Amino acid sequence: YGRIQVWPGTWDDYIEASTQARERQAAANQKAKERVQELQEFVRRFSANKSKARQATSRAKLIEKIKIDEFKPSSRQYPWIRFEYDEKEKLHRQAVEIENLSFGYDPAKPIIKNFSFTADANDRIAIIGENGIGKTTLLKLLVGEGLHGLKPQHGTLKWAEKAKLGYYAQDHAEDFAQDENLTDWISGYVREGGYEGDDAETLIRGTLGRLLFKGDEVKKSVKVISGGEQGRMLFGKLMLQRKNVLLLDEPTNHLDMESIESLNSGLADFTGTLFFVSHDREFVSSIATRILEIRGPGDIVDYRGTYEEYLASQGIE
């Protein structure tokens, strides 16, 4: 982890996305206000002028169409999500090599069959396909037994020696099984980094604040938080763990738009290896540099390129 510089910069740096959004909204509001003032001045000056009465009436109607809501500052709040790791842990060349991988919950009916594949160190790979086709199964095979994933029944799967895996499961129940508050939950991952005393307290408060948990909210039990709040807490866990490989299963499920935008930005800036399952076409389009489409046992298409390029290659608009 290093020392407390894990979180560089000031608080304003951490809420940059939120600040920029508010600045854009404020600029738009100011332009709208100036336009209304201009229209009002015209109406005041020329409403009694017969030659310009029609224009004054037209401008008065235009003022009515500008909603007062446009003047309200944006209340949108963005969590701060960034996935960083020690540059000394950076992978080079290959991240994982798979040969003749096969797996089926019923061995007679394999879901993944004779799959061979090599991922490069900086690949951002989207795993796509119809519901029930095996996307989560493939991701769990990549995760491995050590992180509560799956063991191949046939074939081999070998990660690079420096690979450190961070897993975001689609089902979070196991992560929040203990009845503890948000502070205690996140502090467990702070302690993993060897932090103690004031450093640990600073990192705990800072992490929760950047995930939009403030005041008495940090005392809430993890058993009562919403699906979106669970997602933010898990992103906090991954940020603290500082992994160079991320494996995410439907990470945008239950998230609001602000959290999705922050996650999108964080993953776009991530310099490690990424595998993710998602049904969100826009999310896949903005992040993936490689596509794995599972079409059935023994039929997985590997396409090097963006999602839009892949769709075009398949003749799909």
Side-chain angles (χ1 to χ4, degrees), residues 202-243:
T202 299
L203 191 51
I204 290 167
R205 289 196 304 271
T207 301
L208 289 171
R210 292 168 196 119
L211 297 173
L212 306 182
F213 297 107
K214 301 173 184 177
D216 289 341
E217 285 185 311
V218 301
K219 300 176 184 178
K220 288 196 301 187
S221 170
V222 295
K223 284 185 169 293
V224 301
I225 60 177
S226 69
E229 290 172 326
Q230 288 181 355
R232 279 187 270 139
M233 290 295 287
L234 289 171
F235 297 140
K237 165 188 170 181
L238 291 173
M239 288 192 290
L240 289 167
Q241 290 179 324
R242 294 170 63 79
K243 304 296 188 179

Side-chain angles (χ1 to χ4, degrees), residues 170 172 227-229 252-256:
Q170 188 174 163
H172 310 323
E229 290 172 326
T252 62
N253 280 3
H254 310 297
L255 297 185
D256 57 25

Side-chain angles (χ1 to χ4, degrees), residues 81-83 261-271:
I81 299 174
R82 289 293 185 276
F83 304 103
E261 289 178 27
S262 294
L263 175 62
N264 195 306
S265 177
L267 291 176
D269 290 341
F270 179 58
T271 60

